[in-house]
Amino acid sequence: QVQLAESGGGWVQAGGSLRLSCAASNRDIATFSTGWFRQAPGKERVFVAGITWSGSGSVKHYADSMEGRFSISRDNIGNMVYLQMDSLKPEDTAVYYCAATYTYLATDPAAYRIWGQGTQVTVSS
């Protein structure tokens, strides 16, 4: 079974940028749709962005509040997924997770079968 590991989190001032990476342990990740979620302390885990499996055309979809600021992509091989985050705001502070699902365009965390450990993003004002 494929495993996922996030990296690229850290500290950034408001208005800055970060790129998060999600590394899959093998090429099976190409058969999954992949999403990014975030969870702030005391809050529920929420959908950020998703990209469908390669055979479906790698369709991208975003939460409304992230559209225009965040961008999800796959690499050419299909074993890496990225989240480019621009114009970051303090309210973006959270642990960010990548996850994989067989459900097309899923935004519900319950639809995602495989999860990484998360990477902390902290945005200062």
Side-chain angles (χ1 to χ4, degrees):
Q1 182 173 278
V2 67
Q3 294 179 308
L4 305 176
E6 306 93 336
S7 62
W11 176 90
V12 65
Q13 292 187 1
S17 298
L18 287 172
R19 189 177 77 160
L20 306 184
S21 299
C22 178
S25 59
N26 58 57
R27 283 279 298 151
D28 289 346
I29 192 62
T31 69
F32 289 87
S33 295
T34 304
W36 286 93
F37 294 78
R38 69 187 187 189
Q39 187 167 22
K43 302 290 185 67
E44 69 179 28
R45 191 170 300 183
V46 298
F47 174 77
V48 174
I51 184 166
T52 66
W53 63 291
S54 298
S56 72
S58 297
V59 177
K60 300 173 183 179
H61 58 124
Y62 301 91
D64 289 344
S65 61
M66 268 58 91
E67 185 72 40
R69 297 195 299 123
F70 292 6
S71 179
I72 190 169
S73 62
R74 295 184 185 271
D75 72 0
N76 292 333
I77 302 301
N79 61 346
M80 296 285 290
V81 181
Y82 301 98
L83 183 69
Q84 177 68 41
M85 305 188 295
D86 298 319
S87 302
L88 284 163
K89 305 173 182 179
E91 52 263 44
D92 295 320
T93 296
V95 177
Y96 284 71
Y97 299 88
C98 65
T101 181
Y102 282 127
T103 303
Y104 189 70
L105 299 179
T107 60
D108 186 349
Y112 285 77
R113 314 290 191 187
I114 303 168
W115 292 84
Q117 307 97 315
T119 185
Q120 177 71 45
V121 171
T122 302
V123 184
S124 65
S125 60

